[in-house]
Amino acid sequence: MRKKKPAFTTSPIGRTMFITALTMLPCTLAISGYNIVDTWFVSQMQDWRDLAAMGYAFPVVMLFSFLFSGLATGIMVTVSQALGGNRYRKMSHLISAGLFYAIAVSVVCGLFGLLTIDLTFQLLGAGDDVLPKIRQYMIIWYIGGTPSAALAMAGNNILMGTGSTRMTSAMMLSGLVLNSILDPIFIFGKCGVPAMGIAGASLATVIAQSLSVITILSFLHFRYRYVTRSVLQWRLMKRTGLLILKFAAPAILGMLLIPLGNTIVTAILSQFGDEAVAAAATAGRLEIVAFVLPMSIGMGLMPMIGQNYGAHLYTRINQCRRIAMRAAFILLGVTGTLFAVYAEPLARIFTTDPVVLPLMTQYLRIIAPFFCLVEMHRFSTFFFTACGRPIAAALLNALRIFGFLVPFSAVALLAHWLTGVFWARATADLCAGLIAIYCARRLTRSFPADGLPDPVTSPGDTSDV
């Protein structure tokens, strides 16, 4: 096995963090690119049933993606901690077992999805005229998309956990480019390929992701020799599985809380009319733009924390927290201010409706000043997860959604105050953000001296798993 030096434990924190962020920026853009590209090409067929099928498929695909992403987070954290502690045999076992579990979980999900296609989408409200289109898309995705998505997420998170952020970004960006090339070929029928319609969009995604997976696995095995068959022993599989699950389960729960909370708030907004839902939903799409660069910082943050935690370099973790929080405060403080000041012209890019426009403008002006606290809350959960306290991270997410956002929104509904629902989001971001910042600060200051194992989790063992 080729031993990869844990760069995150030796390089200057600030410089490394921002170089990593710039490296991961294309990766951040590529995350949402697949759906955007597929939707755009499908829309060119000018059949509303195709777009409707994509609309029904998206939340189901995202649900499975949250599951795969949570599992990948568990793999990344354990791998980064093992690498930081120079426990290369343990890291190899975690990588090999993690890839095996990603395949196993994806196969189960794919089979479950295939057996419940009609039932799932009928429950979501799909009519008989749209169901055939949904089947065309989802059958291909369940067969090839679940394993390729699960392995792609696991592989990319493993690369991030080992500090190979450039490789991660290159794989995700090249996958998006290939998907953009294959989409028109398979959807409309070009280069001798018969037109497949919406099924072609699904096949293009599967092929692009699969080629990325092959490249990533080849990189992990042939360059670093991280993949080993010895982990298939039952004892090692059980111990690695439990260790990964310790981090994966809370990560999955935390991810699922966000769409669940948003669904509840959307239901509350619907009581004020479709215009209120449209204003909030459209503002949410615009809001994503503000978080692109901070998200790039966040993607490299967890493996950086994990490596230093595994190496017992707690001073560097505390320094990492200060720099990351300041970066989020400054970047999103400025961006949030600009969004608030220029809320109306920004809203006009998406709508000119005389009812939706003022609501969207008002919503942006209320929530934008608190963008920085949203990201600082997210960064705080990264510190708890990477420092061996994933349940605390899940509780912080639950506090924001069900401790503040949903109850505050419900109070505004009882008061028949639409603006109050907007302020409920802002107040939830403020309260949850301040609490998370305090908790993360207390966490990083509670560690023992550098070089000593953390008495809470004791990650410093030298066992293989």
Side-chain angles (χ1 to χ4, degrees):
M1 182 199 308
R2 179 179 172 183
K3 295 183 178 180
K4 180 175 174 61
K5 185 178 180 181
F8 287 152
T9 63
T10 56
S11 304
I13 289 289
R15 186 180 67 183
T16 303
M17 186 181 297
F18 288 106
I19 290 176
T20 302
L22 292 176
T23 302
M24 297 303 295
L25 186 58
C27 182
T28 306
L29 297 173
I31 288 175
S32 58
Y34 277 95
N35 183 64
I36 294 173
V37 169
D38 285 351
T39 302
W40 188 83
F41 279 112
V42 169
S43 69
Q44 303 307 300
M45 292 191 291
Q46 298 181 346
D47 186 340
W48 68 269
R49 291 174 300 175
D50 292 304
L51 281 177
M54 290 288 290
Y56 281 112
F58 180 70
V60 176
V61 170
M62 287 303 299
L63 182 63
F64 283 107
S65 297
F66 286 143
L67 176 61
F68 301 151
S69 182
L71 176 60
T73 297
I75 300 170
M76 176 179 65
V77 173
T78 53
V79 165
S80 64
Q81 289 182 355
L83 178 60
N86 296 318
R87 299 187 294 281
Y88 298 102
R89 184 176 177 82
K90 177 178 181 178
M91 180 183 67
S92 177
H93 286 162
L94 287 165
I95 290 174
S96 303
L99 293 171
F100 175 84
Y101 284 121
I103 295 174
V105 170
S106 68
V107 169
V108 172
C109 290
L111 289 174
F112 175 80
L114 285 171
L115 295 173
T116 59
I117 286 183
D118 288 356
L119 176 62
T120 298
F121 291 99
Q122 284 170 353
L123 289 174
L124 289 175
D128 293 337
D129 49 351
V130 179
L131 270 175
K133 297 284 188 179
I134 294 175
R135 291 192 202 102
Q136 292 176 29
Y137 186 90
M138 293 304 300
I139 287 175
I140 293 175
W141 192 84
Y142 280 137
I143 294 174
T146 50
S148 62
L151 284 171
M153 289 184 187
N156 281 317
N157 274 265
I158 289 169
L159 291 175
M160 284 193 288
T162 60
S164 302
T165 53
R166 288 184 177 86
M167 182 66 174
T168 305
S169 194
M171 285 298 96
M172 295 194 71
L173 188 60
S174 60
L176 174 61
V177 172
L178 181 58
N179 183 67
S180 303
I181 295 172
L182 294 178
D183 260 343
I185 294 176
F186 290 121
I187 293 174
F188 304 112
K190 296 182 179 182
C191 303
V193 177
M196 299 175 63
I198 191 173
S202 185
L203 182 59
T205 299
V206 169
I207 292 175
Q209 287 183 339
S210 298
L211 291 177
S212 295
V213 167
I214 292 171
T215 305
I216 292 170
L217 294 181
S218 300
F219 182 84
L220 291 174
H221 178 64
F222 294 108
R223 182 171 181 178
Y224 288 117
R225 303 292 179 181
Y226 285 158
V227 182
T228 174
R229 288 181 294 179
S230 63
V231 77
L232 295 179
Q233 301 171 18
W234 168 245
R235 179 184 63 85
L236 288 177
M237 287 296 296
K238 180 180 178 181
R239 294 181 65 184
T240 51
L242 290 174
L243 183 57
I244 291 171
L245 184 64
K246 171 187 173 183
F247 293 91
I252 294 170
L253 177 61
M255 291 178 186
L256 292 177
L257 287 175
I258 296 174
L260 179 58
N262 289 340
T263 300
I264 296 173
V265 173
T266 300
I268 291 174
L269 283 169
S270 68
Q271 303 304 306
F272 296 94
D274 293 338
E275 293 84 0
V277 175
T282 308
R285 293 185 179 91
L286 180 59
E287 183 181 347
I288 295 174
V289 178
F291 287 85
V292 168
L293 185 55
M295 283 178 63
S296 300
I297 296 175
M299 293 186 73
L301 190 58
M302 197 178 296
M304 181 179 293
I305 302 165
Q307 285 190 19
N308 283 284
Y309 184 72
H312 307 152
L313 298 176
Y314 308 117
T315 302
R316 287 177 61 86
I317 293 176
N318 199 37
Q319 182 185 3
C320 185
R321 176 189 58 81
R322 290 196 299 267
I323 295 174
M325 294 300 185
R326 289 170 185 170
F329 181 78
I330 293 172
L331 288 173
L332 283 167
V334 173
T335 305
T337 301
L338 292 174
F339 267 58
V341 172
Y342 296 102
E344 184 173 350
L346 287 172
R348 284 187 181 278
I349 297 174
F350 292 87
T351 181
T352 56
D353 185 274
V355 178
V356 176
L357 178 62
L359 288 177
M360 184 176 172
T361 301
Q362 183 186 41
Y363 183 69
L364 285 173
R365 284 176 177 164
I366 290 173
I367 69 167
F370 302 97
F371 282 172
C372 59
L373 287 166
V374 174
E375 195 68 3
M376 293 167 85
H377 177 278
R378 192 168 73 97
F379 283 0
S380 298
T381 64
F382 290 171
F383 279 90
F384 278 96
T385 299
C387 292
R389 295 158 174 84
I391 294 178
L395 289 175
L396 283 175
N397 283 322
L399 177 68
R400 176 176 177 265
I401 301 298
F402 292 103
F404 296 121
L405 179 59
V406 172
F408 291 170
S409 299
V411 170
L413 174 62
L414 291 175
H416 304 287
W417 184 28
L418 175 57
T419 304
V421 180
F422 300 162
W423 276 110
R425 158 68 194 277
T427 307
D429 293 343
L430 172 64
C431 296
L434 292 177
I435 291 173
I437 292 167
Y438 168 77
C439 291
R441 182 173 180 269
R442 184 173 179 178
L443 169 70
T444 59
R445 291 190 170 190
S446 67
F447 291 132
D450 285 359
L452 298 177
D454 180 5
V456 174
T457 60
S458 298
D461 64 279
T462 57
S463 61
D464 289 340
V465 291

